Amino acid sequence: MRGAPKLPQVAGQVNYRLARNCIVSEFRKGRLSKLDVCDAQPELLRAAINCGQETHEDCPICEEVKVVLVSYAFGSRLPASGRIVTSRNDLDKLTRSGRELACYVVEVCPNCAWNHLAKTFAVSGRRAERA
């Protein structure tokens, strides 16, 4: 439609919940130690504390605090380490140029350093073509 605002289009999403559940199960069975699963890098922990979006879900490892989600975008003209996306507005700004982005959402416990990739998806700044 002519004059319509450009909206980011999500091309698809991969959810890693089954892999997460498997790791948590192995930890609870004693096959993985806390050191094996609580290995978040310092920068990821800083992002979780300062920019993370709190959830209503308890950490599956320490069960003491709620996990937070940290979102990253990767694409052309972005730093090699990606860019933290703190809101929908941030994502909209990144897609205004029309470039495609790969987005990653990581689940992090700021208390025990548990972390797991929650989901990935691709975003395009181009308008979806009408059928």
Side-chain angles (χ1 to χ4, degrees):
M1 176 184 264
R2 185 177 236 173
K6 283 182 144 182
L7 298 174
Q9 301 297 318
V10 176
Q13 179 174 300
V14 177
N15 189 311
Y16 295 92
R17 185 61 114 178
L18 290 175
R20 175 198 186 274
N21 292 345
C22 181
I23 290 170
V24 170
S25 175
E26 292 297 298
F27 170 75
R28 290 186 177 152
K29 291 175 186 174
R31 294 179 185 156
L32 291 173
S33 73
K34 192 171 181 180
L35 292 174
D36 292 327
V37 297
C38 296
D39 60 353
Q41 297 291 324
E43 187 59 36
L44 180 57
L45 286 172
R46 275 192 291 276
I49 292 166
N50 296 311
C51 304
Q53 177 186 19
E54 190 172 294
T55 68
H56 298 289
E57 189 171 347
D58 288 333
C59 173
I61 306 303
C62 72
E63 299 176 339
E64 294 177 12
V65 298
K66 305 293 184 198
V67 295
V68 297
L69 300 177
V70 180
S71 301
Y72 291 93
F74 295 87
S76 63
R77 299 187 186 159
L78 291 178
S81 60
R83 170 132 180 246
I84 295 174
V85 179
T86 58
S87 68
R88 176 65 187 211
N89 283 341
D90 270 357
L91 186 58
D92 290 345
K93 287 177 188 175
L94 289 172
T95 58
R96 280 192 189 136
S97 67
R99 54 184 179 236
E100 293 189 16
L101 302 173
C103 298
Y104 296 79
V105 180
V106 181
E107 178 181 50
V108 182
C109 175
N111 184 50
C112 72
W114 153 261
N115 68 104
H116 194 271
L117 180 61
K119 66 182 171 180
T120 61
F121 56 95
V123 177
S124 173
R126 296 185 197 108
R127 277 185 260 157
E129 300 212 11
R130 296 181 67 165

